[in-house]
Amino acid sequence: RVYFIEPPQLSATGIEIKVCADHPLISIVNYKPVFRGKRFLPSFLYSFLLKQQVKALLQKINAQPDVVWSFQGYLFQNLQWFGAPVNLFFAADQFYYDELPPEVYSASISLAVSDTIYERMKQSGKPVYLIGHGLQKNFVQGAENLLKNGSVVSENKKITAGYTGNLRMEALDRITMMQVIKGNPEVRFIFWGSYQQADLNLGGVTDKDTDSFISFLEQQCNVELRGVVNSEELQEQMKEADLFWLCWKIGVNSLWDGSNSHKLLEYLSTGKPVVAHHVSSYQNTDLLYMLPVKENKGYAALFQQTVELVKKGEAKELISKRLLTAVESSYSKKLQQIEGLINYG
């Protein structure tokens, strides 16, 4: 049985637990926090309130946890308050503050999705491991089928480049992306993901420059904006692409260092070439066609070089290597890896 504790909500009434209709062994816990005003309270008092919150949650759940798995730093601080034999801290994003999340120090092991997060957490002197991102089951199965039956090379004379993700996310290097699109009029560009303000369920930038970027995309005859599609539709439509691309500004803020992205595994699951900015978690591999340094000055040239390579055809070994990487990144294999790390620790 899994109890998923949502972030604290001031609108909640006490502590509420609801069983998932589709997954009866999973319950969602919503709660109104008793701990507030961290900046205005003495640290000992804030810790006391936080510990009382954990105690109240455990009383409501009425179960002693065997494993506590935290995905949000700076929240509960001391995972050992839950009394579980095993405490995991999973860092999927860069940290807001200069100091490390206190959860790192109370966890049995901590896990990082990128090399830069891993290097930061190593400073704690506690057990830290680089685990990377995981890949959804349907994308893994797609990669397995391609490995078994062989990848399909597009017969289209016109090359198609695919991009998935929120087009209003802050990290995008929009200037370079426009340069690429204008410099490759013979390439068809398909974009899947949010671009209209009404669709921004995960947030995004709504300033004038971003609006101008969206307007630019809408006006280009070689651009298709498909918008948001579900995972199954996305996987099917991605078959139209001959290559994929990712173009972020490096170091736009402390939360966007470009060191990894979960969408890269989705790209790799197609076996198709991927053009990218410098993604440090993939350095010393040949899985991506990426820039060697943390600046995008040569991105447009790299994109054109990859287009020419696609026209000529790639070595089958490279395609197989991408597919195998996707298969080995399944959530089930990641869980097996984490279980091994727990037992090792």
Side-chain angles (χ1 to χ4, degrees):
R1 178 172 293 277
V2 174
Y3 291 90
F4 187 88
I5 302 177
E6 294 275 18
Q9 301 174 15
L10 293 176
S11 59
T13 304
I15 301 174
E16 303 169 338
I17 301 177
K18 292 184 179 179
V19 178
C20 289
D22 297 334
H23 302 280
L25 292 179
I26 299 178
S27 296
I28 306 299
V29 182
N30 288 287
Y31 69 99
K32 184 175 184 178
V34 298
F35 57 94
R36 278 178 284 175
K38 179 180 180 180
R39 293 177 298 171
F40 309 106
L41 294 175
S43 59
F44 75 90
L45 179 56
Y46 183 78
S47 294
F48 172 78
L49 292 174
L50 198 56
K51 192 172 183 179
Q52 293 302 112
Q53 181 73 79
V54 171
K55 183 178 180 180
L57 287 167
L58 290 174
Q59 288 177 341
K60 185 70 175 182
I61 292 171
N62 193 29
Q64 182 62 41
D66 299 300
V67 177
V68 168
W69 193 333
S70 171
F71 293 87
Q72 183 174 351
Y74 311 102
L75 181 56
F76 289 113
Q77 298 188 355
N78 191 337
L79 300 180
Q80 294 178 7
W81 287 338
F82 287 89
V86 177
N87 299 296
L88 306 178
F89 176 61
F90 189 95
D93 300 298
Q94 294 290 342
F95 306 128
Y96 287 99
Y97 308 108
D98 292 334
E99 66 272 14
L100 291 172
E103 288 83 352
V104 175
Y105 297 95
S106 60
S108 307
I109 63 172
S110 294
L111 307 166
V113 299
S114 81
D115 61 322
T116 55
I117 297 175
Y118 168 73
E119 291 297 333
R120 279 203 65 189
M121 290 202 297
K122 273 177 57 179
Q123 299 171 12
S124 67
K126 298 293 183 177
V128 178
Y129 300 95
L130 177 60
I131 195 72
H133 285 289
L135 185 61
Q136 291 183 25
K137 185 177 181 180
N138 57 312
F139 286 99
V140 173
Q141 290 175 337
E144 289 174 336
N145 290 337
L146 288 172
L147 280 169
K148 180 180 178 181
N149 303 320
S151 57
V152 178
V153 178
S154 173
E155 296 180 356
N156 297 328
K157 293 182 180 179
K158 189 170 186 177
I159 300 297
T160 297
Y163 179 92
T164 68
N166 184 351
L167 289 173
R168 287 184 175 273
M169 68 183 297
E170 185 180 1
L172 296 188
D173 186 347
R174 296 179 176 83
I175 293 176
T176 299
M177 291 176 73
M178 289 190 289
Q179 181 186 0
V180 168
I181 293 169
K182 288 187 289 187
N184 295 273
E186 77 289 351
V187 175
R188 173 189 178 214
F189 292 89
I190 302 178
F191 292 89
W192 294 276
S194 304
Y195 66 94
Q196 296 177 333
Q197 294 190 24
D199 297 330
L200 297 180
N201 59 318
L202 296 178
V205 183
T206 58
D207 60 13
K208 183 178 179 181
D209 289 342
T210 307
D211 289 341
S212 296
F213 172 68
I214 300 300
S215 178
F216 164 82
L217 294 177
E218 291 174 329
Q219 294 171 22
Q220 304 308 302
C221 59
N222 62 333
V223 170
E224 294 181 29
L225 297 174
R226 299 279 179 90
V228 179
V229 297
N230 64 43
S231 180
E232 289 74 18
E233 291 179 48
L234 176 62
Q235 184 185 18
E236 183 62 29
Q237 292 184 26
M238 285 173 68
K239 294 177 182 178
E240 300 177 43
D242 301 294
L243 64 89
F244 293 91
W245 61 316
L246 185 67
C247 187
W248 288 3
K249 292 179 287 187
I250 305 297
V252 61
N253 63 37
S254 59
L255 299 180
W256 301 106
D257 72 344
S259 58
N260 206 349
S261 170
H262 70 276
K263 74 177 63 180
L264 288 173
L265 286 176
E266 295 180 359
Y267 288 174
L268 294 174
S269 73
T270 68
K272 305 292 179 63
V274 181
V275 187
H277 60 265
H278 183 78
V279 186
S280 56
S281 292
Y282 282 84
Q283 61 188 350
N284 301 320
T285 77
D286 54 2
L287 294 170
L288 311 177
Y289 293 103
M290 72 175 185
L291 293 172
V293 294
K294 293 185 177 182
E295 61 177 42
N296 290 344
K297 186 182 299 182
Y299 190 95
L302 176 63
F303 186 93
Q304 290 181 331
Q305 291 168 12
T306 308
V307 167
E308 294 304 313
L309 184 63
V310 171
K311 292 178 180 177
K312 295 176 182 177
E314 281 192 300
K316 291 184 179 180
E317 292 78 11
L318 283 175
I319 299 172
S320 295
K321 192 176 292 187
R322 296 180 193 123
L323 295 173
L324 284 169
T325 298
V327 170
E328 291 300 314
S329 299
S330 70
Y331 284 121
S332 60
K333 289 187 181 295
K334 292 292 183 181
L335 287 173
Q336 291 173 10
Q337 184 180 355
I338 292 170
E339 185 177 2
L341 293 172
I342 293 172
N343 293 333
Y344 175 79

